[in-house]
Amino acid sequence: MSSDAKWQDSAPVKYALGSIIPGLVILAWWLGARSGSAVVPSFGEVFNVLTHPFDEPPDLNSRSLAFSVMMTLIRLFLGFALAIATAVPLGILAARNHVVEYVFSPIVELARPINPIVLLPIITVLLGVSSIATVVYGQTEAWRHDVPDQVQTAMILILWYGAFFPIYTATIQGVRSVGTAWLETMRLMGADNAQTIRHVILPHTLPFIANGMRIALGTVWLVVIAAEIFPGTRSGLGYMLCTACKTSEYEYTFSAIIVIGAIGLVTNSLLRRFEERTGHWRAVQR
Amino acid sequence: MTSNTPCLSFSGVSKSFVSRDGEIVRAVENVTFDVPRGTVACLVGMTGCGKTTILRLAAGLETPDSGTIVSPSGEIGYLTQQHTLLPWMTTTDNIGLPLKVKGMNDAARKARVNEIMEALGLAGFGSLYPYELSGGMRQRAAIGRLMASESSCWLLDEPFSSLDERTRHQLQKLLLETAAATNVTVLFVTHSIDEAVWLADRIYIVSAWPGRIIESLEIAEPKPRDRISDAFGARMEAVRKRLEAAIG
Ligand SMILES: Nc1ncnc2c1ncn2[C@@H]1O[C@H](COP(=O)(O)OP(=O)(O)OP(=O)(O)O)[C@@H](O)[C@H]1O
Ligand SMILES: [Mg+2]
């Protein structure tokens, strides 16, 4: 094809093409529901769950959809924030200081390929029932604080682990690729270390970090749901979809899956926007 | 003006590089010259002869293999051959960066940056990023940042070569005025004989491989010089002859 304006590039055609496969999935769902299968809920049942997010499920040993989403997001946010707060400074340090690099790079290379979910059982055993609430309010008082008591330290640790490496690696890559000419410029200007980091290293590395965050979020989003399916949890989207399967309330399983997809989509595109904003200057080379 | 104390001085400076495949490149050899305080010296020579290396040595960004360099460290403003504006900062922020690093407050910095942008014809472009500027505007922004740095010794690597003639002449004039007003010492690299003869108190001709200073010509005519005068033409002719002899 050599013509410039290709037929497939107009917006309506693009959307139509992009809808084919989701359309087939919905068709399969509809056919499944019609066939009378007990496992496949009708559109109406799922729609009903999604539009009443604050209703407690009647037979299900789980809290409302909204509460489940909140718990999952709190865990995700804490693990993710902890990963950013540690991976970025450590990455900057390791990229600029050989001693730090030599201390951390072997353990990082060793730990990186280990799937965080693999570590979940052992970490859960090690840390037991400890949660944000037991840490903050103590063992005996923790049960009074519902939400923080359901944010298990083991889970935060696993999420931190899942998010740390992509962010750490991206930070190092960003710092290493800062042009020497800029560093020399700052040196001649009389800038100290902190000023060089603030005006050159961080702004240069930020789009790299944003990209690492996006990759990390992809991992962590899988990990948090998987971790919630494990025993020892009483809430979250993973918990909801799993218990709903056990009690055959599949409309909750389907709703949870849809919400998981939607949140993944939104957070990913937010981070993509962040990446574009922090890296707008990279787009044009001339 | 104590124009006899050198601000910048090289004596017997040599520098070689080892290329990736292990070959030794003798970039500059036994380079000796001074730039007296408040004067303009031009380095003229063919491409690859070691001019940028001399500037980097003067800035302290390279260490010489032998010889000694006296330079006012902490007082050096270096305008590199390829601009080093920070791509994530607007023109205003780029120009104001040296002042920010020094800790000048926002209001004073803004006023000074506006003044500089006005002088360089950049007014109205302050909010643009370097990639949104034309090549010549970027070069002027880099000059603006140099002016903001308030250093006493400027090392300029072909700063005006990408500009149109009219702008180039304007900026040459601005350079001389600024340098005279603030008693800045200038070491200026150029390929243009016209530029060297118009700006310099002294021209150094650099030979290639290894880079050596093979001629030193003093130009005593008062500034600003008249480009269409016979004396100016004769000067240019003389420099050209020596340069050609040097390249051989
Ligand atoms: N870091 C380096 N490693 C190896 N060789 C180098 C390095 N820097 C410079 N050289 C060599 O030193 C010589 C002088 O280079 P320099 O950049 O000083 O030339 P120049 O006079 O500024 O040239 P131009 O007019 O093209 O800018 C060249 O042969 C170059 O290849
Ligand atoms: Mg050069």
Side-chain angles (χ1 to χ4, degrees):
Chain A
M1 283 263 246
S2 60
S3 91
D4 274 355
K6 293 183 182 151
W7 62 273
Q8 72 268 31
D9 291 335
S10 80
V13 180
K14 243 160 66 178
Y15 287 121
L17 289 173
S19 308
I20 293 176
I21 293 172
L24 287 177
V25 171
I26 290 175
L27 182 70
W29 175 3
W30 182 73
L31 287 174
R34 260 181 64 108
S35 76
S37 157
V39 179
V40 185
S42 72
F43 291 157
E45 287 171 302
V46 172
F47 184 78
N48 193 40
V49 172
L50 289 174
T51 47
H52 298 87
F54 297 102
D55 290 2
E56 304 270 333
D59 305 320
L60 198 54
N61 188 19
S62 162
R63 306 281 294 272
S64 70
L65 182 63
F67 185 82
S68 304
V69 169
M70 182 186 80
M71 286 316 301
T72 300
L73 288 182
I74 288 175
R75 291 171 181 140
L76 186 81
F77 177 81
L78 287 178
F80 202 63
L82 199 64
I84 296 171
T86 49
V88 171
L90 203 63
I92 293 179
L93 224 61
R96 286 166 63 79
N97 183 315
H98 284 306
V99 176
V100 178
E101 187 202 343
Y102 297 154
V103 169
F104 284 100
S105 82
I107 183 67
V108 165
E109 293 309 316
L110 213 72
R112 200 210 330 242
I114 301 174
N115 185 329
I117 296 169
V118 168
L119 296 176
L120 186 64
I122 187 70
I123 291 194
T124 309
V125 171
L126 281 173
L127 293 178
V129 293
S130 96
S131 67
I132 300 292
T134 61
V135 172
V136 175
Y137 304 106
Q139 289 284 1
T140 48
E141 288 296 302
W143 63 274
R144 293 179 195 276
H145 305 274
D146 187 28
V147 171
D149 196 32
Q150 294 185 51
V151 182
Q152 296 86 342
T153 27
M155 214 183 277
I156 302 301
L157 205 64
I158 283 299
L159 293 173
W160 167 82
Y161 185 92
F164 180 85
F165 299 107
I167 301 176
Y168 176 79
T169 318
T171 306
I172 289 191
Q173 201 194 343
V175 175
R176 290 252 166 85
S177 59
V178 171
T180 0
W182 291 322
L183 299 177
E184 288 175 350
T185 301
M186 294 308 284
R187 205 170 101 201
L188 288 178
M189 240 178 243
D192 60 28
N193 223 349
Q195 287 170 323
T196 305
I197 289 178
R198 170 159 169 231
H199 296 304
V200 176
I201 292 173
L202 259 188
H204 180 269
T205 307
L206 221 49
F208 289 82
I209 295 174
N211 184 264
M213 277 165 63
R214 212 154 58 76
I215 295 167
L217 189 78
T219 307
V220 154
W221 192 223
L222 298 178
V223 171
V224 69
I225 302 298
E228 286 172 349
I229 292 176
F230 267 79
T233 331
R234 286 179 285 128
S235 59
L237 282 167
Y239 177 77
M240 175 180 246
L241 70 84
C242 181
T243 41
C245 269
K246 287 178 192 153
T247 58
S248 308
E249 288 170 280
Y250 298 107
E251 65 272 25
Y252 284 96
T253 307
F254 270 61
S255 301
I257 291 172
I258 291 171
V259 171
I260 288 167
I263 294 176
L265 192 76
V266 170
T267 47
N268 186 56
S269 65
L270 283 178
L271 278 178
R272 194 188 288 279
R273 277 254 289 282
F274 177 59
E275 193 178 335
E276 280 162 8
R277 277 184 73 121
T278 53
H280 67 91
W281 50 271
R282 295 202 297 186
V284 192
Q285 291 290 339
R286 60 189 192 120
Chain B
M1 190 153 69
T2 55
S3 82
N4 281 330
T5 45
C7 171
L8 191 66
S9 144
F10 275 51
S11 71
V13 172
S14 299
K15 174 77 188 172
S16 49
F17 295 102
V18 182
S19 69
R20 284 277 284 264
D21 44 4
E23 210 179 309
I24 291 173
V25 183
R26 291 192 295 165
V28 294
E29 201 160 272
N30 197 21
V31 167
T32 301
F33 69 95
D34 309 311
V35 188
R37 197 167 297 283
T39 67
V40 179
C42 282
L43 294 173
V44 182
M46 62 183 286
T47 180
C49 70
K51 304 180 297 295
T52 297
T53 305
I54 292 174
L55 293 195
R56 288 182 57 81
L57 285 161
L61 298 174
E62 304 283 357
T63 40
D65 300 335
S66 59
T68 48
I69 298 170
V70 179
S71 69
S73 70
E75 285 285 314
I76 286 185
Y78 179 23
L79 188 68
T80 49
Q81 199 163 356
Q82 257 95 42
H83 81 85
T84 59
L85 294 171
L86 301 175
W88 45 83
M89 278 188 193
T90 61
T91 308
T92 307
D93 289 346
N94 263 298
I95 294 176
L97 186 60
L99 301 172
K100 187 157 199 165
V101 164
K102 279 196 192 124
M104 184 187 271
N105 71 49
D106 286 4
R109 188 174 73 238
K110 209 170 156 197
R112 176 69 186 129
V113 169
N114 282 338
E115 206 177 283
I116 292 171
M117 294 211 295
E118 199 71 52
L120 291 169
L122 287 171
F125 296 101
S127 62
L128 299 186
Y129 289 87
Y131 67 83
E132 298 173 306
L133 298 174
S134 75
M137 278 151 71
R138 278 201 289 263
Q139 195 58 16
R140 278 181 277 163
I143 294 166
R145 187 175 68 186
L146 178 77
M147 287 167 70
S149 74
E150 285 162 3
S151 29
S152 69
C153 177
W154 288 0
L155 310 170
L156 309 177
D157 204 342
E158 301 182 35
F160 305 146
S161 54
S162 65
L163 303 171
D164 66 275
E165 191 175 40
R166 197 182 126 86
T167 312
R168 182 162 62 236
H169 289 177
Q170 272 173 10
L171 289 177
Q172 287 166 349
K173 189 158 164 280
L174 183 71
L175 171 71
L176 285 191
E177 285 165 3
T178 317
T182 51
N183 199 29
V184 166
T185 309
V186 180
L187 180 58
F188 193 107
V189 167
T190 179
H191 284 126
S192 156
I193 296 171
D194 167 87
E195 188 165 63
V197 172
W198 201 76
L199 289 174
D201 297 302
R202 189 171 282 279
I203 295 177
Y204 294 107
I205 295 176
V206 187
S207 72
W209 298 296
R212 279 204 196 95
I213 290 183
I214 45 162
E215 287 272 6
S216 156
L217 303 158
E218 191 180 358
I219 304 185
E221 274 94 348
K223 299 178 205 178
R225 292 167 185 157
D226 179 5
R227 279 196 161 90
I228 45 175
S229 70
D230 291 343
F232 192 88
R235 271 291 185 200
M236 278 189 51
E237 214 29 58
V239 175
R240 180 170 293 125
K241 277 216 183 81
R242 305 246 188 144
L243 188 62
E244 264 154 29
I247 293 162

